[in-house]
Structures are given as C-alpha cells and as structure tokens.
Amino acid sequence: LGVDRRDVTPSGPGGRVLADDVRRAAEGQEGRPAAAPARAAAAAEEEREAGAPVGAAPGGAGIPFLEVEALPDFSRLGPVEVEPLRSIRRKTARKMVIAASIIPHVSHMDDADVTDLEDLRRRMRERYADEPGGRLTLLPYVMKAVVAGLKAFPKLNASIDPVKQEIVYKKFYNVGFAADTPKGLVVPVVRGVDGKSVLALSAEIVSLALAARDGSIDAGAFQGGTFTITNIGPLGGRYFTPIINYPEVAILAVGRMEERAVVRDGRVTVRKVLPLTLTFDHRLVDGADAARFMDGLLKRLADPERLLMEI
C-alpha cells in the first residue's frame, strides 16, 4: 500500500502493527504524492548503513539506546584479515544478540557432590561397555535429574510470548546440549528425555554429537528444545554464565568435575564435586524458584538411588 512503517500507529498487543493499522495509515495518505515507496526504500537503506536489521522497530525493536554503529576502518591502523560472517556463526550471533537484548539474565551457582553418582557411572560403564550408549558420561544422568526438576518447577520449562503477553507451559521435555563443532557451537536436541533410559540417552547424545561434528545432522535436530545444558567440563573451568537459548527461559552450565577437600560431619574428606550454574530469565523465574530447583538438582545428583527412583 506504499505505507512507511514509521507513519503507522500500532494497536496490537505489545505494540504489534496489525493489518488494519496499515490500512488506516494508507487511507490517511490519500491525496499525497505517491512517494511513499521511495521514502520506505530510503529508510531501509539508512537502516542498512547504520547496521540495524531492515524492518526493525526504531531504536532496535523498541529497546531504548540500542543502536549499532559502524566499525572504524581498522585497515588504516595496520594489516587485517576479513572473513564473512556466515552459516552457523551468523545464526548463533543473531540468536545470542536477541537473547542477550531482551532477557534479563540472572545466574545461580552451586556445587553438586557427585561422588556416589560417579562411582555408579563407572560401574555401569564397565558393565554396559559393549552396548549402544555404554560409554557413559555424566551428561545423561544430569539430563534425567534436570527433567525431574522441570516437572517440579514447570516455569523453567516454559516460554514467554511477548506478543500475546502469555506464558506457554510445555508438558514435554526436550533437552538440548551444546556441542563443539569445527563450524562453531550448535545445540542438538534430545526429545522426550523423560521417556528414555540412561543408556538410550547416552547413545542418542553420542549419535547427535558425531553427526553435528561431521555435518551430517539434520536441521530439525536443532529445533524444539525446552531446556539446554552446556558442558564445558571436558575443556576445563568451573563456573561460567551462559546466554539462554531463546525462547527457552533457563540453561544449565556444567563445569569440570574435580576432587576437593570438603567438610562432612565436622571432618575434612575428599569428594568429587561438579560445579553448576543455572542462568534463568528473571521475567518469569524468581531467585527463590531457581534456588529450589537447584537444591533438588543437587540432592538428586548426590543420591543416585533417589535419582533412579524418580526417573
């Protein structure tokens, strides 16, 4: 209809522009010179030059002071090498910017005593070494413990719809896990975690990770997640604060398991400790919710018998 979006007064939920809003704006332009399309094209070009996505709301999707400035010409200062931002890295960058811009991130850190769980994992790995999924890691156990917590605290398995102003509670449990690949970080999703055994989860995690690394994974494997676990333990490090995998509302970061001297019943003893960080969306999840979720998670990981009874 040749309407400049800046001439449209939105009337939909959350400031959304509706079709009727555009028609009203078009009717108000009757009798004007037919220069609206040219003006819209010029506005789009201005957005491109400013580095903003074309069609974004003024100020960066309604976020005050969110403006992207062009980089200085570093080649004037010294040698540079330029590489196009493509493929997985470009998609990751876009999703991270969206998540970091609209979600108020808060992180809750704690340590899980996994001494008994690690002993169980080693015994089960020896017993099932020749079966699919037999090369057990802690990840499938952590997935099971997380899902038990999500059932107890459904807010952490939800999403916020900013347009409809609604909370969507998902009654299924699809857990994504961060996988390091030559092309960058990806998050394959294990579907229906609550209905699969630890061995089945282990086999699926290995299969998805291998497919992600060699590039044979289907794009659908990255969709439909309700919660994400990112594990930097194999590379080192204790705690880190990950960006939430939007539109999810929480992500669990797992650090490197290590032996530490801890106090138990007034005596110093050596235990295997797993550092954990829960980063959550403070629009929906309060600190008390996160603390209770983490308390349950720590108890399940510290007591394999309890964990196996709940899953």
Side-chain angles (χ1 to χ4, degrees):
L1 297 177
V3 174
D4 187 328
R5 63 175 176 77
R6 291 173 292 187
D7 293 337
V8 179
T9 301
S11 64
R16 186 177 183 181
V17 175
L18 305 181
D20 286 342
D21 301 332
V22 179
R23 294 190 188 99
R24 280 192 292 270
E27 291 170 0
Q29 290 181 352
E30 290 181 3
R32 296 186 189 179
R39 186 171 69 239
E45 184 60 28
E46 289 176 4
E47 289 180 331
R48 288 191 187 94
E49 292 177 356
V54 176
I63 301 175
F65 308 113
L66 180 58
E67 299 176 357
V68 179
E69 298 181 358
L71 288 178
D73 184 359
F74 292 113
S75 64
R76 295 182 178 180
L77 305 176
V80 299
E81 179 181 347
V82 178
E83 176 186 351
L85 191 62
R86 293 195 182 108
S87 186
I88 291 175
R89 180 54 57 193
R90 182 174 182 177
K91 292 177 182 178
T92 299
R94 181 178 182 274
K95 197 162 188 178
M96 293 299 98
V97 168
I98 292 173
S101 299
I102 69 174
I103 297 176
H105 285 61
V106 180
S107 294
H108 179 113
M109 301 177 183
D110 216 324
D111 295 321
D113 183 339
V114 294
T115 306
D116 295 339
L117 179 58
E118 177 63 6
D119 290 343
L120 172 66
R121 182 194 71 83
R122 289 180 178 274
R123 294 198 307 271
M124 295 301 101
R125 181 166 177 159
E126 291 178 2
R127 180 181 299 180
Y128 296 100
D130 297 330
E131 297 190 21
R135 294 184 61 80
L136 287 163
T137 67
L138 281 176
L139 182 54
Y141 292 100
V142 174
M143 280 189 176
K144 281 292 192 179
V146 162
V147 168
L150 296 179
K151 289 182 176 181
F153 298 95
K155 280 185 180 180
L156 280 87
N157 201 52
S159 288
I160 294 177
D161 187 330
V163 175
K164 296 181 179 179
Q165 303 286 297
E166 295 175 345
I167 302 170
V168 181
Y169 292 95
K170 287 154 277 186
K171 304 298 183 179
F172 53 93
Y173 304 92
N174 297 342
V175 180
F177 65 96
D180 185 26
T181 76
K183 292 185 178 181
L185 184 71
V186 296
V187 183
V189 175
V190 180
R191 301 174 185 277
V193 171
D194 56 325
K196 295 176 178 176
S197 68
V198 170
L199 272 179
L201 290 177
S202 178
E204 190 166 348
I205 290 168
V206 170
S207 176
L208 287 170
L210 289 175
R213 292 189 186 103
D214 66 24
S216 64
I217 194 167
D218 184 81
F222 303 129
Q223 301 171 1
T226 63
F227 188 95
T228 296
I229 298 173
T230 176
N231 180 13
I232 204 171
L235 301 176
R238 287 185 177 179
Y239 308 100
F240 60 107
T241 53
I243 301 295
I244 294 169
N245 190 13
Y246 182 83
E248 298 167 16
V249 297
I251 182 171
L252 181 71
V254 181
R256 171 174 284 180
M257 182 184 67
E258 60 185 1
E259 291 187 337
R260 291 192 211 166
V262 299
V263 178
R264 291 287 185 272
D265 300 323
R267 303 181 66 179
V268 177
T269 183
V270 176
R271 306 291 290 179
K272 293 182 175 67
V273 176
L274 188 68
L276 301 173
T277 302
L278 177 72
T279 296
F280 57 93
D281 184 340
H282 211 343
R283 295 176 301 172
L284 178 59
V285 182
D286 294 329
D289 298 323
R292 295 186 185 103
F293 173 86
M294 285 290 279
D295 181 64
L297 182 60
L298 298 183
K299 289 177 179 176
R300 293 182 187 94
L301 294 176
D303 186 354
E305 292 181 357
R306 171 179 175 170
L307 173 61
L308 293 175
M309 289 299 293
E310 291 189 7
I311 64 177

